[in-house]
Amino acid sequence: MSQLKYCQGPRCHTYDTKDRKRGPKDNKRNETRRRSNLCYLNGNACSMQCQADWFDVYGSRALDHFGRITEAKVLTADNAWRKSYDYRGYRNEADRHYVYNHLTEERRPITEQQYDNDNTITNDGRLNI
Ligand SMILES: [Zn+2]
């Protein structure tokens, strides 16, 4: 059983829907949604509206906390690698996996295991094989 968690949208309780209503007839109130599975804000908000509300209230503070980009990031041949594959199932063949440099257009074959390995290309686009 997955645990119920609250939507992190700071205004979730202000949206008037049936599923947010709680309490007896003479003392109705709306509450923040609580779900086992939330689909927005990386699993932390119940709707796009609540995700947008979160960003409106906390987005700038999050950028300040984790660090803003203060100079241009640069894409060069060293960090322009992506993984991809040619689908060959329609020919009853194995798919052909490769790394592709989208700046130089160089293409190098890799194994399916290398394709599935998250470390084959680093988070910043560098080839790691
Ligand atoms: Zn919500």
Side-chain angles (χ1 to χ4, degrees):
M1 272 292 278
S2 53
Q3 282 190 316
L4 294 176
K5 54 185 180 179
Y6 287 105
C7 170
Q8 296 301 302
R11 291 187 280 269
C12 190
H13 63 290
T14 66
Y15 300 111
D16 199 30
T17 60
K18 270 187 184 171
D19 69 301
R20 288 180 171 99
K21 293 196 184 304
R22 296 285 185 274
K25 252 184 191 160
D26 57 343
N27 192 19
K28 286 273 187 216
R29 61 183 195 271
N30 286 8
E31 291 186 1
T32 299
R33 276 182 173 153
R34 198 174 179 202
R35 298 274 161 79
S36 58
N37 190 19
L38 298 166
C39 297
Y40 298 89
L41 199 68
N42 202 19
N44 290 295
C46 73
S47 67
M48 287 181 78
Q49 182 63 62
C50 284
Q51 175 178 282
D53 290 345
W54 188 93
F55 197 84
D56 286 347
V57 175
Y58 301 111
S60 290
R61 289 195 299 188
L63 288 171
D64 289 338
H65 178 79
F66 294 109
R68 290 177 180 267
I69 292 171
T70 56
E71 57 188 37
K73 291 184 156 198
V74 179
L75 183 72
T76 64
D78 289 340
N79 63 348
W81 292 96
R82 303 279 187 274
K83 290 189 286 189
S84 190
Y85 67 94
D86 292 329
Y87 176 69
R88 292 287 170 158
Y90 63 93
R91 291 184 180 178
N92 243 1
E93 294 174 15
D95 296 336
R96 294 181 187 168
H97 300 84
Y98 59 90
V99 289
Y100 174 74
N101 189 304
H102 64 96
L103 217 62
T104 64
E105 299 185 4
E106 182 182 349
R107 185 171 160 156
R108 297 182 193 171
I110 57 172
T111 65
E112 187 172 353
Q113 283 161 321
Q114 287 173 317
Y115 179 84
D116 292 337
N117 185 340
D118 289 338
N119 297 319
T120 297
I121 293 176
T122 63
N123 284 338
D124 63 348
R126 292 173 197 284
L127 201 53
N128 193 29
I129 49 175

